[in-house]
C-alpha cells in the first residue's frame, strides 16, 4: 500500500513509528523487532504479509503441514500452498488456556486452533 505523496498517509507512517517506539519502551532491549518504513520510488509504502505460509526458498526440503479443519474448512488455504509457499510448524498458531487446580497449581493447556 502506498500513499503516493498524500500527507495523511505520511502522517499515518509517523503515527506507526510513534506506536512502535511506545511499545518498544515496554520491552527489554531486544524484545520487539525493529521497524522502519519502506520507501519505493521515493514514497512510503506499507508491506503486509501473513503467518499462514513461509516462502519455499526458506524451507529447504520441509513438507507442508495440513491446515486444521477449523482453520481452513473449505480448503482455500490448502489450495494456495502451490502458489504462496508452504505451511510449516512455525506457521501454526497456538493458544494456551489458563487453568487453576484448587489453590496450589496453575498450568497452561496447549489449544491449537
Amino acid at each position: 500500500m502506498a500513499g503516493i505523496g498524500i500527507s495523511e498517509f505520511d502522517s499515518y507512517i509517523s503515527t506507526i513509528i510513534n506506536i512502535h517506539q511506545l511499545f518498544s519502551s515496554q520491552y527489554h532491549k531486544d524484545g520487539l523487532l525493529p521497524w522502519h518504513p519502506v520507501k519505493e520510488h521515493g514514497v512510503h509504502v506499507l508491506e503486509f504479509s501473513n503467518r499462514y505460509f513461509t516462502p519455499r526458498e526458506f524451507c529447504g526440503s520441509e513438507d507442508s503441514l495440513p491446515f486444521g479443519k477449523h482453520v481452513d474448512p473449505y480448503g482455500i488455504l490448502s489450495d494456495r500452498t502451490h502458489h504462496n509457499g508452504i505451511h510449516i510448524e512455525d506457521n501454526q498458531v497456538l493458544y494456551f488456556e489458563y487453568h487453576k487446580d484448587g489453590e496450589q497449581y496453575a498450568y497452561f493447556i496447549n489449544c491449537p486452533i
Side-chain angles (χ1 to χ4, degrees):
M1 176 186 300
I4 312 174
I6 298 171
S7 61
E8 288 86 358
F9 188 84
D10 291 335
S11 173
Y12 299 149
I13 296 289
S14 295
T15 301
I16 293 169
I17 291 169
N18 291 337
I19 291 169
H20 185 271
Q21 288 173 343
L22 175 69
F23 279 100
S24 293
S25 69
Q26 302 300 313
Y27 292 95
H28 295 288
K29 179 183 167 200
D30 296 324
L32 197 61
L33 294 175
W35 183 81
H36 304 285
V38 176
K39 280 191 169 187
E40 288 185 18
H41 305 290
V43 296
H44 284 114
V45 297
L46 292 177
E47 298 176 318
F48 295 93
S49 64
N50 69 61
R51 292 283 303 159
Y52 287 121
F53 302 105
T54 296
R56 290 185 183 281
E57 62 263 21
F58 300 134
C59 300
S61 62
E62 289 188 62
D63 292 326
S64 190
L65 298 175
F67 288 96
K69 289 287 184 198
H70 47 284
V71 174
D72 188 22
Y74 303 108
I76 295 168
L77 293 171
S78 296
D79 290 344
R80 301 306 302 166
T81 57
H82 305 295
H83 306 287
N84 293 11
I86 64 174
H87 181 71
I88 59 175
E89 186 175 354
D90 284 349
N91 301 117
Q92 293 182 321
V93 176
L94 302 175
Y95 292 92
F96 296 89
E97 290 182 1
Y98 174 81
H99 290 270
K100 191 167 186 179
D101 185 11
E103 295 296 320
Q104 292 186 337
Y105 303 103
Y107 55 93
F108 293 90
I109 296 176
N110 181 356
C111 300
I113 62 163

